[in-house]
Amino acid sequence: MESQFGMVNVWTQGDWVTKGVAVLLLVMSLASWIVIALKTLDLLKYKKHARQAADFWHSEDFASALDKLGADATDPFRQIALEGREATAHHRNSKAHLHDSLDVSDWVTRCLRNAMDEFTARLQSGLAILASVGSTAPFVGLFGTVWGIYHALLSIGLSGQSTIDKVAGPVGEALIMTALGLAVAIPAVLGYNALVRGNKAILNKLGSFSHDLHAYFVTGARVNSPGNSAVVMMKKGA
């Protein structure tokens, strides 16, 4: 209750700078929580797609394998599979382009890498907001504290009452701004670290899937996984 009253006093008794700092911290907090919520939902969706991609190779041909991935246009595993198929078909059917100097392995590698780079950029969008909030919010709160203490000491000096009971209240209320800055920064930093770990796990799975796709489009067989001597064959359906 005392902290709530302190925050109310900071708002009601603070000047426009103090109120501006409080509003800025509120906006930064809302932005970080929105990014955390949206990116968490995206990670859950991509993890679901990764589980579906595990059944991709248990298919008789490429067309039925695509059906197992579903029809979600945002599925990165489906997108990269389609990109590999289109790259292979384009290289096979086109004869008058610069990529004719590249063999099919190099051309498919280039196209799959471009698809991976586009998804990586989309996956990491928004993380800069969390990084910025996590690194700047404590200093924004500290600025509010310094400004509040400065004006509190000025008002105490003008009143001529410098006893501890007169100093502790205004200074303590000013220190609330530092606590607010930390309250904004800590969730942003924790959310950033958690999202980076989640993104890395998705990218690792997508990278392995892309590597297997490359081997399939070039040789017609998936790369053997460790401990599995069987070669996974699949017809190259259109």
Side-chain angles (χ1 to χ4, degrees), residues 170-205:
V171 172
E173 292 171 1
L175 289 173
I176 292 178
M177 300 300 294
T178 299
L180 290 178
L182 294 175
V184 172
I186 292 174
V189 172
L190 294 178
Y192 176 85
N193 292 334
L195 290 174
V196 167
R197 289 194 298 270
N199 290 350
K200 183 177 180 181
I202 295 297
L203 290 175
N204 286 339
K205 293 180 180 179

Side-chain angles (χ1 to χ4, degrees), residues 19-221:
K19 293 180 180 179
V21 171
V23 171
L24 179 58
L25 288 174
L26 177 61
V27 172
M28 295 171 71
S29 179
L30 289 176
S32 62
W33 279 111
I34 289 174
V35 170
I36 291 173
L38 293 178
K39 302 305 290 186
T40 299
L41 292 176
D42 286 342
L43 275 180
L44 293 177
K45 180 175 65 174
Y46 293 144
K47 288 181 180 180
K48 179 181 177 181
H49 293 325
R51 290 192 295 268
Q52 292 175 341
D55 297 330
F56 179 87
W57 300 104
H58 301 288
S59 306
E60 295 182 355
D61 53 37
F62 190 81
S64 60
L66 277 179
D67 292 337
K68 291 184 177 181
L69 293 180
D72 189 354
T74 63
D75 184 353
F77 296 90
R78 179 179 178 84
Q79 289 178 345
I80 203 169
L82 292 175
E83 184 68 26
R85 183 182 66 178
E86 294 174 1
T88 305
H90 187 68
H91 187 279
R92 183 172 60 247
N93 298 329
S94 300
K95 301 299 181 182
H97 296 84
L98 290 176
H99 65 64
D100 292 337
S101 59
L102 300 174
D103 59 23
V104 63
S105 177
D106 293 336
W107 178 248
V108 171
T109 298
R110 178 180 180 275
C111 294
L112 292 179
R113 183 180 295 114
N114 288 340
M116 282 282 297
D117 291 341
E118 291 178 2
F119 174 71
T120 300
R122 187 168 72 250
L123 189 65
Q124 295 178 348
S125 63
L127 294 184
I129 295 177
L130 296 180
S132 299
V133 171
S135 60
T136 59
F139 299 101
V140 173
L142 183 61
F143 171 77
T145 294
V146 173
W147 186 269
I149 290 177
Y150 169 71
H151 282 274
L153 294 178
L154 281 182
S155 62
I156 292 171
L158 292 176
S159 65
Q161 298 176 344
S162 59
T163 57
I164 189 63
D165 58 326
K166 300 297 182 180
V167 175
V171 172
E173 292 171 1
L175 289 173
I176 292 178
M177 300 300 294
T178 299
L180 290 178
L182 294 175
V184 172
I186 292 174
V189 172
L190 294 178
Y192 176 85
N193 292 334
L195 290 174
V196 167
R197 289 194 298 270
N199 290 350
K200 183 177 180 181
I202 295 297
L203 290 175
N204 286 339
K205 293 180 180 179
L206 189 62
S208 299
F209 185 73
S210 175
H211 185 66
D212 289 340
L213 279 176
H214 174 269
Y216 164 71
F217 285 119
V218 173
T219 67

